[in-house]
Amino acid sequence: MSTPAAAPRRSRRPRRPEWAGRNYTLLTAAAVVTNLGTHGALIAAAFAVLEAGGDGGDVGLVAAARTLPLVLFLLIGGAVADRIPRHRVMVAANALNCVSQAVFAALVLAGDPKLWQMMLLTALCGTGQAFFSPAAEGMLMSSVGGEQASRAFALFRMAMNGATIGGAALGGAMIAAFGPGWVLAVDAAAFAVAGALRAFLDVGHIAEREPGGGLLADLREGWREFTGRPWLWSIVAQFSVVVAVVGAVESVYGPLVAEETLGGARPWGLALAGFGAGTVCGALLSMRWKPRRMLLVGTLCVFPLALPSAALAVPLSVGGLIAAMFVCGLALEVFGVAWMTALHQEIPEEKLSRVSAYDWFGSTAMLPLSTALAGPVETAFGRSQALWGCAALVVLVTALVLLVPDVRNLTRRTKEVAARPVASGDRSADAEGPVGRLG
């Protein structure tokens, strides 16, 4: 008795999740490349200053030189990114960062870089970041939509933070083995690769802005959107203090404690890698856990950001510091996913970059001052007292923001009212229809 021929098997490609379209994939890949270079370079810049004979005050000045133009140009960067194609802004910013880091690397490798040269080049890098960040935030959010937005943000952040682990650990090891100059050179190459990837982003899904209004009108419109939401401006005000404190600890006090008591750049790189490992675990948690009161849960997760300051104030052993950084990273990532989900849910697409710029501006406004004053504060009060003060400030401002009703009560929508459309190049949704969103 004959049997029918076996039906030929159709080969099927494994389908990506519907929210992981072309733009999302390019953005994630570019962010991974950028983070691999940048987090090693941040350590390298501090140790380049120390190797050139600088002290804690000089490290703070170089860190402040990076953050000052970031604060000054953020609002302009947000308005520009809502007016012209965002991917062009991102590529131009990456090109500026590539050139500035390459020159910085060349000066360090040549020997005896001057303080003013290091400050100027880090200032150029901060200028590029000021234009890049609002454009990147708006581009990512406009590339994802629907109920899976928080999962997409969590996966994106997990990829970035996984690169942070490798970048920080590799950067610390390379500094110990070869010196900071080569780490800066790797960062320049990473910006070049990331910029090339971002050049292929598709912005056809974003409606063209109507002419008129001008830059100041755009900024005023973004300001009204920002100030009209108490949960938004109160958390940004909270993070103006939190980011200033954490920035001073990470850029100034951490490398100094590592150099004097922990053994140099390698253990500090491992501590930053522990932070990165925590963020990966936080992202994994956020992919499964979707708390209804997302901002309340997210704000409670800011309290552990005081742990690294306390650990350095004691100071704990390398293992204890890594553990504190791990818990800090996990908690911060839960907040970060909740925050991005709230912005995506509540802010109109055409205003995303401007609102993001006000967010970045408020959050980083005090960072240049804190990094510049870190050295003098240490001289006046002692390093341990300065670090305990940093921990106390994080706890205080976080407790205050919980008094805002909108922070406690803003809830996650089970189904988003309007999904962000994906770019025309995104075909991962196939027959089910298109769905719509920080290196």
Side-chain angles (χ1 to χ4, degrees):
M1 176 176 158
S2 62
T3 59
R9 292 184 178 179
R10 295 176 62 189
S11 61
R12 298 183 62 186
R13 293 182 304 169
R15 221 163 62 88
R16 293 178 297 180
E18 62 181 10
W19 39 263
R22 177 171 175 267
N23 275 2
Y24 179 87
T25 303
L26 284 171
L27 287 166
T28 303
V32 166
V33 172
T34 304
N35 272 28
L36 279 171
T38 297
H39 283 80
L42 290 174
I43 309 172
F47 282 91
V49 175
L50 295 175
E51 286 190 4
D55 55 14
D58 294 331
V59 173
L61 287 174
V62 172
R66 178 186 180 93
T67 53
L68 183 59
L70 175 64
V71 172
L72 290 177
F73 294 111
L74 264 172
L75 297 183
I76 297 175
V80 168
D82 273 342
R83 183 164 288 276
I84 66 176
R86 289 171 179 149
H87 71 309
R88 293 183 184 175
V89 179
M90 297 166 71
V91 171
N94 284 166
L96 177 60
N97 290 149
C98 174
V99 172
S100 62
Q101 290 295 77
V103 175
F104 195 174
L107 289 174
V108 174
L109 291 171
D112 195 27
K114 308 301 181 189
L115 180 62
W116 70 267
Q117 294 172 330
M118 293 186 283
M119 291 177 65
L120 174 62
L121 292 167
T122 53
L124 290 175
C125 203
T127 301
Q129 189 68 26
F131 284 86
F132 173 84
S133 296
E137 189 95 349
M139 194 73 206
L140 179 61
M141 289 190 181
S142 69
S143 299
V144 173
E147 294 182 63
Q148 299 300 320
S150 61
R151 178 170 293 184
F153 299 150
L155 183 60
F156 175 84
R157 293 173 66 93
M158 182 172 66
M160 283 203 314
N161 293 320
T164 298
I165 299 173
L170 182 61
M174 285 185 65
I175 293 168
F178 307 110
W182 287 108
V183 179
L184 293 167
V186 169
D187 189 36
F191 276 119
V193 173
L197 289 173
R198 288 164 177 144
F200 290 99
L201 291 168
D202 182 2
V203 295
H205 64 296
I206 300 175
E208 291 186 10
R209 293 284 307 278
E210 294 183 2
L215 183 64
L216 290 178
D218 285 350
L219 290 174
R220 286 194 295 268
E221 187 178 10
W223 176 250
R224 287 193 295 269
E225 190 74 29
F226 176 78
T227 57
R229 303 173 187 272
W231 61 268
L232 180 56
W233 61 257
S234 62
I235 290 181
V236 170
Q238 169 203 14
F239 267 77
S240 69
V241 176
V242 172
V243 170
V245 165
V246 172
V249 171
E250 182 175 328
S251 299
V252 182
Y253 296 136
L256 290 173
V257 173
E259 181 76 13
E260 294 177 13
T261 65
L262 300 179
R266 187 187 298 270
W268 182 236
L270 290 174
L272 293 178
F275 175 86
T279 61
V280 170
C281 292
L284 285 171
L285 176 62
S286 296
M287 290 183 73
R288 294 182 173 273
W289 182 38
K290 298 179 181 180
R292 184 168 176 269
R293 295 189 180 185
M294 49 188 171
L295 285 186
L296 173 61
V297 171
T299 301
L300 290 173
C301 287
V302 179
F303 284 109
L305 269 65
L307 290 176
S309 300
L312 289 166
V314 174
L316 295 182
S317 64
V318 174
L321 178 59
I322 291 173
M325 295 285 276
F326 176 87
V327 174
C328 174
L330 188 152
L332 181 60
E333 193 62 19
V334 173
F335 167 83
V337 173
W339 180 246
M340 292 180 73
T341 304
L343 291 175
H344 180 269
Q345 175 178 290
E346 302 293 328
I347 306 300
E349 192 280 332
E350 69 275 9
K351 300 176 184 177
L352 278 171
S353 288
R354 279 167 289 172
V355 170
S356 175
Y358 280 107
D359 174 15
W360 277 84
F361 177 80
S363 298
T364 59
M366 295 176 61
L367 189 55
L369 182 64
S370 71
T371 51
L373 291 179
V377 168
E378 177 190 8
T379 301
F381 301 102
R383 186 180 301 159
S384 180
Q385 289 77 5
L387 285 164
W388 283 120
C390 290
L393 281 172
V394 171
V395 172
L396 176 62
V397 297
T398 304
L400 288 175
V401 85
L402 287 173
L403 300 176
V404 179
D406 284 357
V407 171
R408 301 193 306 270
N409 299 327
L410 184 68
T411 58
R412 181 191 305 269
R413 299 175 194 165
T414 55
K415 291 187 178 181
E416 298 193 19
V417 175
R420 312 286 190 201
V422 294
S424 58
D426 289 341
R427 292 289 180 258
S428 53
D430 293 330
E432 297 178 12
V435 295
R437 224 171 192 183
L438 87 22

